[in-house]
């Protein structure tokens, strides 16, 4: 029977909280710019004027020469969730590789996975409620409501399984936090996962108009589906801790955290000024 009388390593936990917040912000901005830029690229390819800023991709209205063909509608609107999904898969595979990684890299990869899949599925949820965007694509492709319900159930199950896999990888990566115990797992969940997500949610609220707040909440709901399975995820038995960092926290984590903050500032400045494609 596991002993529940251990002392929580608060020093290590606080360091992990700081690293997690910094990593989460950077990962969110990376996927925000990446997925919107992919849509911007295809919009340019179809001669549809648009630009990307802190609110996302904006299509310039009022141009009589702008024509949204069926191919343009499908390609541009689906490019964002599909590119985000592919990115999430790539970073999940990287996290699964059995190599020693610093704590900062583990948490950075974790948040890249979370925001990659959240971007992919959050857009679908928001568009389905609003009846626009990718929902229009489903209408154009003659996908009926029954098929949409079946697809939604499958995607929700897939998202939950990804959350379970993520949870197991984190448990294997932080054995010194005693995450096989429910109490320590809840503490870890609130501090390392929930706090950074709430800060990201607050950031998205401040950078969008009040009329978009409900939309931003819907877009971030998949995060909970990805995080909650961590509470119930079980550590695989008889598996060596191949993901254990060589040192719990090191100077590498400090340097990488500073790098994440600098990169985040650069991305915010770039998007604040607006990004557009004017030519190859």
């Amino acid at each position: 029977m596991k002993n529940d009388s251990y002392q929580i390593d608060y020093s290590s936990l606080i360091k992990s909280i700081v690293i997690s917040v910094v990593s989460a912000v950077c990962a969110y901005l990376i996927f925000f710019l990446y997925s919107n830029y992919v849509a911007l690229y295809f919009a340019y390819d179809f001669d549809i004027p648009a630009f990307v800023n802190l609110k996302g991709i904006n299509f310039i209205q009022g141009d009589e020469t702008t024509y949204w063909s069926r191919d343009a509608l499908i390609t541009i609107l689906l490019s964002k969730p599909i590119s985000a999904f592919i990115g999430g898969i790539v970073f999940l595979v990287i996290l699964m590789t059995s190599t020693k990684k610093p704590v900062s890299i583990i948490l950075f990869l974790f948040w890249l996975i979370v925001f990659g899949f959240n971007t992919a599925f959050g857009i679908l949820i928001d568009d389905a409620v609003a009846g626009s965007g990718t929902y229009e694509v489903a209408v154009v492709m003659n996908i009926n409501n029954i098929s949409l319900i079946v697809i939604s159930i499958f995607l929700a199950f897939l998202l939950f399984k990804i959350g379970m896999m993520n949870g197991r990888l984190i448990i294997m990566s932080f054995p010194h936090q005693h995450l096989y115990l429910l109490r320590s797992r809840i503490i870890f969940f609130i501090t390392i996962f929930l706090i950074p997500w709430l800060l990201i949610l607050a950031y998205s609220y401040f950078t969008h108009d009040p009329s978009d707040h409900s939309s931003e909440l819907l877009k971030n709901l998949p995060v909970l589906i990805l995080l909650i399975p961590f509470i119930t995820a079980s550590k695989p038995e008889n598996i060596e801790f191949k993901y254990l960092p060589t040192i719990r926290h090191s100077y590498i984590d400090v340097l990488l955290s500073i790098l994440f903050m600098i990169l985040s500032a650069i991305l915010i400045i770039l998007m604040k000024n607006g990004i557009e494609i004017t030519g190859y």
Side-chain angles (χ1 to χ4, degrees):
M1 180 179 296
K2 301 292 184 183
N3 184 11
D4 194 30
S5 61
Y6 77 97
Q7 295 296 321
I8 298 174
D9 188 352
Y10 285 107
S11 175
S12 178
L13 189 63
I14 292 173
K15 292 176 184 177
S16 295
I17 292 172
V18 175
I19 294 173
S20 184
V21 170
V22 172
S23 301
V25 172
C26 188
Y28 171 82
L29 291 171
I30 286 174
F31 258 104
F32 184 85
L33 177 57
Y34 159 67
S35 59
N36 281 292
Y37 189 84
V38 170
L40 178 66
Y41 174 83
F42 284 111
Y44 174 80
D45 200 41
F46 282 99
D47 296 320
I48 296 176
F51 64 93
V52 172
N53 60 11
L54 292 173
K55 296 181 180 179
I57 185 168
N58 302 268
F59 299 101
I60 301 174
Q61 305 295 327
D63 190 343
E64 295 180 357
T65 62
T66 301
Y67 174 65
W68 280 80
S69 64
R70 182 178 184 273
D71 288 343
L73 184 70
I74 294 174
T75 303
I76 296 172
L77 296 184
L78 286 184
S79 63
K80 188 173 179 179
I82 290 176
S83 62
F85 182 82
I86 293 173
I89 291 291
V90 170
F91 289 117
L92 180 59
V93 171
I94 294 175
L95 182 59
M96 290 174 63
T97 56
S98 56
T99 56
K100 302 287 186 181
K101 304 179 184 70
V103 172
S104 54
I105 292 297
I106 293 173
L107 290 175
F108 184 55
L109 288 172
F110 171 80
W111 283 115
L112 284 171
I113 295 166
V114 169
F115 289 119
F117 289 114
N118 176 72
T119 301
F121 293 100
I123 294 172
L124 301 180
I125 295 174
D126 182 47
D127 288 349
V129 173
S132 61
T134 53
Y135 181 82
E136 296 178 40
V137 173
V139 173
V140 170
M141 297 177 67
N142 297 319
I143 301 176
N144 57 46
N145 291 333
I146 295 178
S147 297
L148 285 176
I149 292 173
V150 173
I151 293 173
S152 299
I153 294 174
F154 171 76
L155 292 179
F157 174 76
L158 178 62
L159 200 62
F160 180 78
K161 295 299 289 185
I162 292 171
M164 290 291 291
M165 188 179 303
N166 248 357
R168 291 191 178 190
L169 289 173
I170 291 298
I171 291 173
M172 294 171 68
S173 299
F174 293 89
H176 58 279
Q177 292 293 347
H178 304 276
L179 297 179
Y180 51 81
L181 297 173
L182 180 60
R183 182 168 68 95
S184 59
R185 197 178 297 190
I186 291 176
I187 293 173
F188 194 89
F189 174 83
I190 294 174
T191 56
I192 307 300
F193 295 162
L194 199 57
I195 290 177
W197 176 68
L198 290 175
L199 291 174
I200 295 296
L201 193 59
Y203 167 81
S204 66
Y205 266 55
F206 284 119
T207 54
H208 289 78
D209 297 329
S211 58
D212 296 330
H213 285 176
S214 58
S215 175
E216 288 304 305
L217 180 60
L218 289 172
K219 289 178 183 178
N220 281 278
L221 281 180
V223 171
L224 290 177
I225 303 177
L226 287 164
L227 296 183
I228 289 177
F230 169 77
I231 300 294
T232 58
S234 59
K235 179 180 72 66
E237 298 294 334
N238 301 321
I239 292 183
E240 183 183 355
F241 285 120
K242 296 179 180 179
Y243 304 91
L244 176 64
T246 305
I247 304 175
R248 294 186 186 182
H249 297 94
S250 65
Y251 70 93
I252 295 178
D253 293 312
V254 176
L255 293 176
L256 288 174
S257 295
I258 294 174
L259 178 63
F260 294 155
M261 287 188 286
I262 294 174
L263 180 57
S264 297
I266 293 173
L267 293 176
I268 291 174
I269 293 172
L270 286 175
M271 288 186 284
K272 185 177 181 180
N273 295 331
I275 300 173
E276 59 181 329
I277 301 176
T278 56
Y280 291 108

